[in-house]
Amino acid sequence: MGIYLLCTNGFSQTSIKDLLNKYNDHSVPYIYVDELTKLKTPLILLDTREVEEYNISHLKNAIHIGFKGFKVSKTASLPIDKETMIVLYCSVGIRSEIIGKKLLAKGYTAVYNLYGGIFEWTNKGEKVYSSKQQETPKVHAYSKPWGSYLLKGTKVYE
């Protein structure tokens, strides 16, 4: 009989669902990967991660708006029609909810947060694209602890 020692260094893995329940108040409705992939409705897809993350990979046709220093008034990519569907995402859906609240507060009515962000998108086998608009397996994993939620793809920490 052997003795097994398990060391977790105080870090216990939770699910994306647990993470979103901990950090989000769910004031911005979620749209799930399978729903987004089936949508035929015109929409604007906004990436709320930082430019370094976006340049590694992003969802096809996503427009980078960033997180730090984001101001609704300074975003030319927002539609004039405030009823246009807007889908926001980040790594897992926390930063995108914060930006989504700002858009809702400014009168945008069809704002959605991609559940699980680019991590869930990649985990479900969907494609991401490099800054050269070429398909890539790379995903910026933000940090080692956050990167543990990215189960597929190649993690990048630059």
Side-chain angles (χ1 to χ4, degrees), residues 19-26 30 93-95 97 113:
L19 203 61
L20 294 176
N21 284 335
K22 178 178 179 179
Y23 290 102
N24 286 1
D25 63 16
H26 312 290
Y30 289 118
I94 297 167
R95 291 177 284 178
E97 184 182 75
N113 187 7

Side-chain angles (χ1 to χ4, degrees), residues 132-152:
K132 295 178 181 175
Q133 303 310 318
Q134 296 172 334
E135 191 177 328
T136 181
K138 296 179 181 178
V139 178
H140 196 290
Y142 191 73
S143 69
K144 299 257 182 200
W146 290 99
S148 66
Y149 297 97
L150 181 62
L151 307 176
K152 292 186 178 178

Side-chain angles (χ1 to χ4, degrees), residues 1-106:
M1 173 184 243
I3 297 175
Y4 298 94
L5 180 64
L6 177 65
C7 178
T8 63
N9 292 329
F11 181 79
S12 62
Q13 178 66 30
T14 58
S15 67
I16 287 178
K17 179 181 178 181
D18 294 335
L19 203 61
L20 294 176
N21 284 335
K22 178 178 179 179
Y23 290 102
N24 286 1
D25 63 16
H26 312 290
S27 57
V28 178
Y30 289 118
I31 185 166
Y32 295 85
V33 171
D34 59 333
E35 293 173 311
L36 183 56
T37 59
K38 293 175 187 169
L39 267 183
K40 303 294 182 213
T41 307
L43 60 92
I44 294 179
L45 187 59
L46 300 177
D47 188 317
T48 65
R49 300 171 305 147
E50 297 308 319
V51 71
E52 302 81 30
E53 297 169 273
Y54 177 86
N55 286 341
I56 298 295
S57 64
H58 53 270
L59 277 59
K60 190 171 189 170
N61 299 320
I63 300 166
H64 176 259
I65 60 167
F67 180 75
K68 294 177 186 169
F70 171 82
K71 292 189 183 344
V72 174
S73 62
K74 300 210 180 215
T75 305
S77 54
L78 291 174
I80 293 170
D81 179 359
K82 291 190 174 187
E83 293 179 7
T84 300
M85 184 175 193
I86 298 172
V87 175
L88 304 156
Y89 73 91
C90 61
S91 296
V92 295
I94 297 167
R95 291 177 284 178
S96 48
E97 184 182 75
I98 293 167
I99 299 294
K101 288 183 200 182
K102 292 178 180 185
L103 294 176
L104 290 169
K106 290 292 185 179

